[in-house]
Each structure stands twice: as C-alpha cells, then as structure tokens.
Amino acid sequence: MLDTAQSLIRRAGRQLNLSDEDIEQILKINAEHIFEIKLSSGKSLQAYRVQHNNKLGPYKGGIRFHPHVDLDEVRALATLMSMKTAAVGLPLGGGKGGVAVDPRSLSQQELEELSRKYVQYLYPHIGPDKDVPAPDVNTNATIIDWMVDEYTKVSGDTTKASFTGKSVKNGGSLGRDAATGRGGVIALSELLKAKGLVNKGLTYAILGFGNVGSFFATVAANNYPQWRLIAAGDSTASLLDNAGLDAMQLSKLKSAGGHFLGSKQAKQITNDELIGLSVDVLVLAALENAITKDNMAKVKAKIIVEMANGPIDETAHDFLSSKGVIILPDIIANSGGVIVSYLEWVQNRRGENWDEKKVNLKLKRYLTQAVLGVLSVSKELQVDLTEAAFIQAIRRLNS
Ligand code: NAD
C-alpha cells in the first residue's frame, strides 16, 4: 500500500517536471510516534501515530484499531491523507494513527483505557493547531469522546477542537455520519454532469454496504432517483435486482445488524459476480484491494467510484484505465468525511454549531470545486483522474 501511494506521487511529480529532490521532499514523513500501551489487565498493544506533512495546516487523519495495523500501513494512510486534504483544498496536512488490536477482544473498560492511554502518550504531539485525529476503522464517536475528555484533562484545552468525529452532543458536527457517502454522490454527479450523463437512467452496484456504502445509496436515492441501484454487497454476499433495490430497506437491514447472506429481499449473488456485473457505475465501498490482477478482467462497469481507500491496486488501475474505464479516485471520492471533519474543527474553534443544511452546502462547494479542478487537470495534461488528483494535490503542496 505504501509502495502504491508513493508510486502515484512519483508519477504525478514527474508529470509536473519536479526534481527527484522535490519529489523525495513530498514523500518524506515528518514524524513517527511508535509506542506500547500497557493495559491494567496486563495486555500490551503496539500503537502508532504518523505525521506525514503539515505544510498546509495541522496534521489530520483517523485512528484505527485493527489487528492488521502496522507501521507501513499507517505511513501509507498518512501520506494519502496529505494528498487528500491538499487535493480538495483544505488548510490541513496529513497524518494517521493506529493500534494493532482487535477491539472485539477487549472489554468496554479496556477499550476506554486504551483510548485514554493513547492520548496520554501522544498529547504533547497533537492538539487543535498541531494534529487533529478522527475516527477510522473500528473507532467511533464514543472512543473519540473519551479521547477528547482525556486531552482536555491533560492539556487544559477546552475547545474540543483537538479531535473530530465527536458525538454531536459533545461538539461533533451535524452531517458527519453521512458525509463520506454524500460526498461520493456529489463527486459522481459532478463527473456525470461533465459527461452530460447525470440525468440519464444509469445503473449502479455498491460493494460494501456499511457506513459509507449505505449513505451513498440513500443520498443517491433521494437526489438522483433516475440512478438505479441494482446490486449491493456486504462481507457475506451480494443482492441483485435488475428492477432496482430499495436503498432505505437495505440500510435498515444493515443498521439492525442484519447480513445480505440469507436475505430474502432479492436474488443472491457472490461479491465476485457483483464486480463483474454490466452496470454503468461500480461503487467500491468495502476495503482496500477489492480489484486486483485476479479479478480486474471481470469488470464491465464504465465508471468506478473509489469510496474505500485503495480499493483498486496499481496493476488493476492501469489495466482498467487502458480499457477506458473512468476511475474516480479515493482521495477525491471519499473526501467528504475529512471535509466535514474540517467543518467540525472550524465550528469548535469559533464556538459555533451549524445546522445540517449549512454543513451540506459547504461540503458540496468543496467537493464540486475539487472535482472540477481534477477534470480540468486531466484535460490539460491528458492524464487519468487519479493522476490528475495527485497532480492537483502536489501543485498545492509545492506552491
Ligand atoms: P464499515 O465497516 O461501516 O463498512 C464496510 C462494509 O464493507 C461492510 O458492509 C462490510 O460488510 C463490507 N465488507 C467488508 N469486507 C468485504 C468484502 N471482502 N467484500 C464485500 N464487502 C465487504 O466501513 P465504512 O466506514 O463504511 O468504510 C468503508 C471504506 O471507506 C473503508 O475502506 C474506509 O477506510 C473508507 N473510508 C471511510 C470513511 C468514513 O467516513 N467512514 C472515510 C473515508 C474512507
């Protein structure tokens, strides 16, 4: 993953005729905090915070709790965060944190102790003007609320602008839950507008019907009823209905803890079959590396929206691009989350609470500008949208 992120940066840097020295400067990671957290139960956990680049503003990026977390993964995700915040024009840098742990193996008390100890170790290096973490895989508003509380205790800062993704009652922003999915819909609609396709009755499928995928589907159903969701998959199975699935019903099934495997709502297919469907748009909202050399030849979609981070590996990306598939890259398509995180940080700093309409309007403005910018770079330099997004980011970082 780190190799792919760095290779995308090198490619974009060469397009811009940057010197090797300048490219290395962009790749350089500013700081790495690697530490062990000892819980009172005796468990010892490896923890990280990587601060990649803060040229445009404080480091920004989530903290994930996952058994696969390691230094290379956190480095890659921190690097991609710098590219994402720059590509969408936020005054923020890029960072990422993680703890190598399966949170399901921890009791609620251990989870709280872990969250608080993470902050006790890191607090001199983070804060509203230094580094503003957020939730990521397996972390949520409850965990962030504990972290903010701990940060307030140890630092005396009461703005709550030290973290984003807080619960709304604790200074979180309205609209944050849906922001990533909503942002994906905005990004896709801007791409389709540019191609004169937004009002056409297109079909689409979503792989990964979790937070991001389900909000993508429900926001799309409300705003673009002419788009037909014909398939959706979770980690257990996919559902197919050529007449159109009901996004709201699927979303209710998932929020009630249900799975697609065994669901009677539609015909069941495998996730690989979903990837190979003849749809206009394929939305990848599960995990990284969903499309690799093993299944890239199956793809028949004309447009792919990367809602997960790195869902198409480099080989598959180059193969699909050469076939004319348009890939809306992750650093733009899934940036709605960090955009609303930024809006939360601004509200906390100003002591304001905006209504959801205002948050959504600002989200739309940032994303529309970002997509139009990427389309223009792509046309100007005759490069695909992924390369254009990295070029847009690097131009800002290098200005
Ligand atoms: P989530 O855990 O809520 O949802 C993930 C979904 O993917 C679940 O429905 C799960 O069943 C499904 N899934 C897991 N493995 C799968 C597989 N092998 N095949 C098919 N489906 C599978 O997570 P989320 O918050 O929706 O995040 C999804 C992706 O978007 C992640 O890659 C995350 O890093 C990225 N992302 C999330 C946000 C955010 O704000 N939540 C922001 C930016 C990027």
Side-chain angles (χ1 to χ4, degrees), residues 114 126 132 159 200 276 283 357 388 394:
L114 166 63
I126 58 175
V132 187
T159 62
K200 301 264 186 260
V283 178
K357 196 169 161 209
I394 290 172

Side-chain angles (χ1 to χ4, degrees), residues 176 180 207-212 234-235 271 285-287 307-309 334:
R176 175 63 187 88
T180 307
L207 183 74
F209 210 81
N211 175 289
V212 173
D234 68 10
S235 59
N271 289 345
L287 299 177
M307 295 305 294
N309 289 312
N334 73 23

Side-chain angles (χ1 to χ4, degrees), residues 268-318:
Q268 211 145 308
I269 57 170
T270 65
N271 289 345
D272 244 24
E273 285 169 332
L274 180 147
I275 286 175
L277 286 175
S278 289
V279 281
D280 296 304
V281 180
L282 176 60
V283 178
L284 299 176
L287 299 177
E288 58 275 355
N289 296 330
I291 301 185
T292 63
K293 67 173 174 21
D294 298 333
N295 57 1
M296 63 191 185
K298 290 185 182 153
V299 173
K300 297 192 194 75
K302 301 178 192 79
I303 296 176
I304 302 182
V305 185
E306 290 190 314
M307 295 305 294
N309 289 312
I312 305 178
D313 77 3
E314 207 177 353
T315 311
H317 180 278
D318 291 350

Side-chain angles (χ1 to χ4, degrees), residues 159-177:
T159 62
K160 299 198 173 168
S162 48
F163 286 79
T164 60
K166 302 175 287 290
S167 63
V168 172
K169 67 175 173 8
N170 193 36
S173 178
L174 290 170
R176 175 63 187 88
D177 280 357

Side-chain angles (χ1 to χ4, degrees), residues 180-253:
T180 307
R182 181 179 296 281
V185 172
I186 296 168
L188 174 61
S189 69
E190 288 305 319
L191 173 67
L192 294 172
K193 274 182 205 162
K195 308 224 161 281
L197 294 172
V198 75
N199 291 320
K200 301 264 186 260
L202 53 82
T203 56
Y204 75 106
I206 299 185
L207 183 74
F209 210 81
N211 175 289
V212 173
S214 61
F215 276 116
F216 186 104
T218 50
V219 171
N222 283 332
N223 292 278
Y224 298 98
Q226 66 274 29
W227 302 355
R228 195 164 15 114
L229 174 67
I230 67 158
D234 68 10
S235 59
T236 62
S238 289
L239 298 176
L240 170 71
D241 185 346
N242 284 314
L245 292 163
D246 182 330
M248 211 50 224
Q249 256 184 32
L250 294 187
S251 188
K252 277 189 193 145
L253 168 79

Side-chain angles (χ1 to χ4, degrees), residues 88 90 175 178-180 182-191 193 198 219 223-224 227 332 335-337 339-340 343 354 356-373:
V88 294
L90 297 175
T180 307
R182 181 179 296 281
V185 172
I186 296 168
L188 174 61
S189 69
E190 288 305 319
L191 173 67
K193 274 182 205 162
V198 75
V219 171
N223 292 278
Y224 298 98
W227 302 355
I332 297 292
S335 64
I339 293 172
V340 175
L343 299 175
W354 302 342
E356 197 165 344
K357 196 169 161 209
K358 180 167 177 175
V359 173
N360 289 345
L361 270 174
K362 285 181 183 285
L363 167 65
K364 185 155 195 232
R365 205 168 304 146
Y366 271 101
L367 254 162
T368 302
Q369 275 177 10
V371 176
L372 294 180

Side-chain angles (χ1 to χ4, degrees), residues 60-62 92 132-135 140-141 144-145 148 160-167 171-173 176 337-338 340-346 348:
K60 185 90 195 81
L92 295 171
V132 187
N140 53 26
I144 295 296
D145 283 354
V148 175
K160 299 198 173 168
S162 48
F163 286 79
T164 60
K166 302 175 287 290
S167 63
S173 178
R176 175 63 187 88
V338 73
V340 175
S341 272
Y342 165 66
L343 299 175
E344 178 178 334
W345 180 71
V346 172
N348 296 150

